[in-house]
Every structure is written in C-alpha cells, then in structure tokens.
Amino acid sequence: MENDDAGMVEAVVPGELAGERLDRAAALVLPDTGLRGRRRLIEAGRLLVDGRPKPAAYRVRAGEKLAARIVTRPEGEFRASDIPILFTDAAYAAVAKPAGLHSAAIACGGGQSLEALLPDIFPGREAMLLSRLDRLTSGIVPVAFDAVAGEGYRRLENAGQVAKTYLAVVHGGIASPFVVDFRLDMADRAKTRVGRTADPDPLRHTHVVPRRTESGLTLVACRIARGARHQIRAHLAASGHPLVGDPVYGRGEGPRLYLHCARLESPVLTAAHEPPWSLAEAARTVGSDALGKNAEKECE
C-alpha cells in the first residue's frame, strides 16, 4: 500500500479478492472506513479502479489498482457567505447549496456540510434541513426554524404539495416530454437499483421535459415531488439518458455533475436559483473527455 503527499492511497487487488465487490475490496485502501463510508466515497468519485470511477457493486479483478483520494478540507473552504439565502420568513428559509458540499454531516472524513454551516448562516436561530442534495448536486435546500414547521412541511410533501424542478444535462436527444415511473430500491445500497415495474405512487415519478439539444446532449427540466435518493440520476440513466458527469450512473466525464435544483414550490415557500453551468459547458466537457479517451486508445 502506498500513501503520497497528495492524499492518494493506492493498492493492487490480490488474487484472493478477485470477484469481490468494490465497496468491500476498498478496505485495502480504506481499512479504517466502514462499508457505508466506503460507499459514500465511491459515490463521490473519490475511489478509482485503474483511474476510473466504478459503482459499488463492481466486481474487482486481480491486478487492478485501487486508488482513494482522501480529502482533508481546510477550515473555511466553505463559509456561510458562500451559501446564498433565497427565501426566509419566521418559519422557513431556502438556501442554495454549492456542488462539493455535503448536505448533512457524515463520518469517515467526508468534509464540510451545509448542516454544520446553518448556525453561521442563520445566527441565533435553530435551523434544520428539510431535504438533502447529493454532494455533487447543487441548488435549493429548504430549511425550517422549528420542529412544528418541519412537521408541517413533511405533511405538505406527503400530500403532493411540494414540487421540485431540477435542471440537468443528459446524453442523447429527447424530442418530447416523458415520465419515468420505475420503482426504486434504495435498501442498504450506495447505488439505487431501478426496477422494471411501475411505482403506483405518483409522488415517486420523475417528469422530464426537454429544453434544448446541442452536440448530442439535452438540457432537461425534471420535476419530482417527494423524491428518493438518486431518483433523477437513476431514473434518467435507466431511461437511456445518463447525466453528464455522473460517476455512478453515467460515464463520469469531467469534475462536475450537471444536476441542479433550480426551483422549489410549496404553500409555505417558493424559491428559484439558476445553475452555475450551461449546456454549452457540458458539451465541451464531453468533447474533451472523448478526445482524451481517443488519445489513450491510440497509445495502447
């Protein structure tokens, strides 16, 4: 095992671990991190197999090199001033989470979280998150200032009175709107499994509307209600349109996941926030990744 100054820990898969799941084999490079923590690092694209991200269920092969990037975030990398407040009143608020920041605090050196910054964002107020975004996803996160308000928001969600609109860039051309209603299995998995039967609960469906197509990519608006872990990422990938930059359900191009919660509507709060990226930027990212892969093939 090697450990360099850049925070990379590497190990070669021995023969006796051939065929083991990546999240379990990752103990070679992360011996002090539990299974759940290893899955989170895999999901975040911080554990690579021969230089490429792979899903937690990937079966490793003897001789493959596992590399984990252990990130020690300096104090103050994200500050309260980096978090725009989009809406606030006596009971609720909405803030814009940047990509690269966890919503809630996690173990295993996961880095800073929005949750930990709430006392500085709203000094003197007891603030609690009402929903979470993946670390790689940016956009709107609602907040409540007391438990009663939080319970009220949950009731609205369960009644289908909360609508969230995400903007995403996906692979492939999409000509008309469609709905993805596949069941999602999130039980004890870093990667959500998509079934092939319809979920009878309409609050678990993903409504997809194309906005614009460029260079084989489409900017889409995805509308969800209650939402589930990785719902949009898993649903779009299962529909043949993985998100650009997704290291778990897609191809992992570039450093950014092109997914942003752009609008939240409910009886108690409404907020909007534009994404920090564009369709043109995504097209350049995919083009650069393709050129890099072609160069690798020419050198083989």
Side-chain angles (χ1 to χ4, degrees):
M1 184 183 297
E2 304 172 23
N3 196 345
D4 65 22
D5 294 335
M8 292 298 295
V9 182
E10 299 179 346
V12 175
V13 177
E16 60 267 25
L17 285 184
E20 183 63 271
R21 284 173 54 104
L22 176 59
D23 53 0
R24 298 189 182 280
L28 285 169
V29 289
L30 298 165
D32 299 322
T33 301
L35 182 62
R36 185 177 179 85
R38 296 197 297 269
R39 288 173 178 171
R40 288 185 180 276
L41 293 176
I42 291 169
E43 175 190 335
R46 285 167 50 194
L47 196 150
L48 307 178
V49 180
D50 285 344
R52 292 285 184 180
K54 299 287 185 181
Y58 173 77
R59 300 290 177 174
V60 300
R61 303 171 184 174
E64 288 181 322
K65 180 185 286 186
L66 305 187
R69 181 167 177 256
I70 308 302
V71 179
T72 302
R73 295 183 183 276
E75 284 297 320
E77 180 171 338
F78 289 102
R79 303 178 185 274
S81 57
D82 298 324
I83 314 299
I85 299 174
L86 308 174
F87 171 92
T88 186
D89 65 11
Y92 298 99
V95 299
K97 185 189 83 67
L101 179 65
H102 290 286
S103 292
I106 64 171
C108 310
Q112 288 181 297
S113 70
L114 175 60
E115 186 174 42
L117 290 173
L118 288 179
D120 293 326
I121 299 171
F122 301 106
R125 308 186 76 175
E126 293 291 332
M128 64 185 76
L129 300 180
L130 293 174
S131 66
R132 301 182 183 186
L133 297 177
D134 299 338
R135 185 185 70 86
L136 299 177
T137 304
S138 58
I140 302 167
V141 178
V143 172
F145 292 123
D146 58 58
V148 173
E151 291 171 2
Y153 184 86
R154 300 295 183 208
R155 286 194 296 270
L156 291 172
E157 269 195 320
N158 292 333
Q161 293 184 269
V162 175
K164 305 166 192 175
T165 301
Y166 290 70
L167 294 179
V169 179
V170 301
H171 285 276
I174 300 175
S176 57
F178 63 94
V179 178
V180 189
D181 61 3
F182 298 140
R183 286 181 182 270
L184 297 176
D185 180 2
M186 300 158 284
D188 193 32
R189 293 187 180 92
K191 183 176 182 179
T192 294
R193 180 174 298 175
V194 182
R196 288 297 169 181
T197 59
D199 193 321
D201 184 357
L203 300 184
R204 297 295 191 189
H205 298 174
T206 301
H207 298 256
V208 183
V209 179
R211 292 275 185 90
R212 196 166 78 255
T213 298
E214 178 180 320
S215 303
L217 307 176
T218 302
L219 173 67
V220 297
C222 300
R223 187 180 175 97
I224 63 175
R226 288 171 59 195
R229 182 164 57 87
H230 296 180
Q231 177 175 326
I232 293 173
R233 296 167 64 181
H235 267 169
L236 268 293
S239 300
H241 299 286
L243 273 66
V244 174
D246 194 328
V248 178
Y249 304 91
R251 306 170 192 175
E253 315 95 327
R256 182 195 293 280
L257 174 66
Y258 286 84
L259 180 64
H260 178 84
C261 184
R263 187 168 180 81
L264 187 152
E265 300 170 86
S266 78
V268 294
L269 70 93
T270 296
H273 190 249
E274 289 298 310
W277 44 257
S278 66
L279 176 58
E281 178 189 327
R284 289 193 296 270
T285 297
V286 172
S288 298
D289 187 72
L291 287 174
K293 289 180 179 177
N294 288 337
E296 288 176 6
K297 289 180 180 179
E298 290 175 1
C299 294
E300 289 178 355

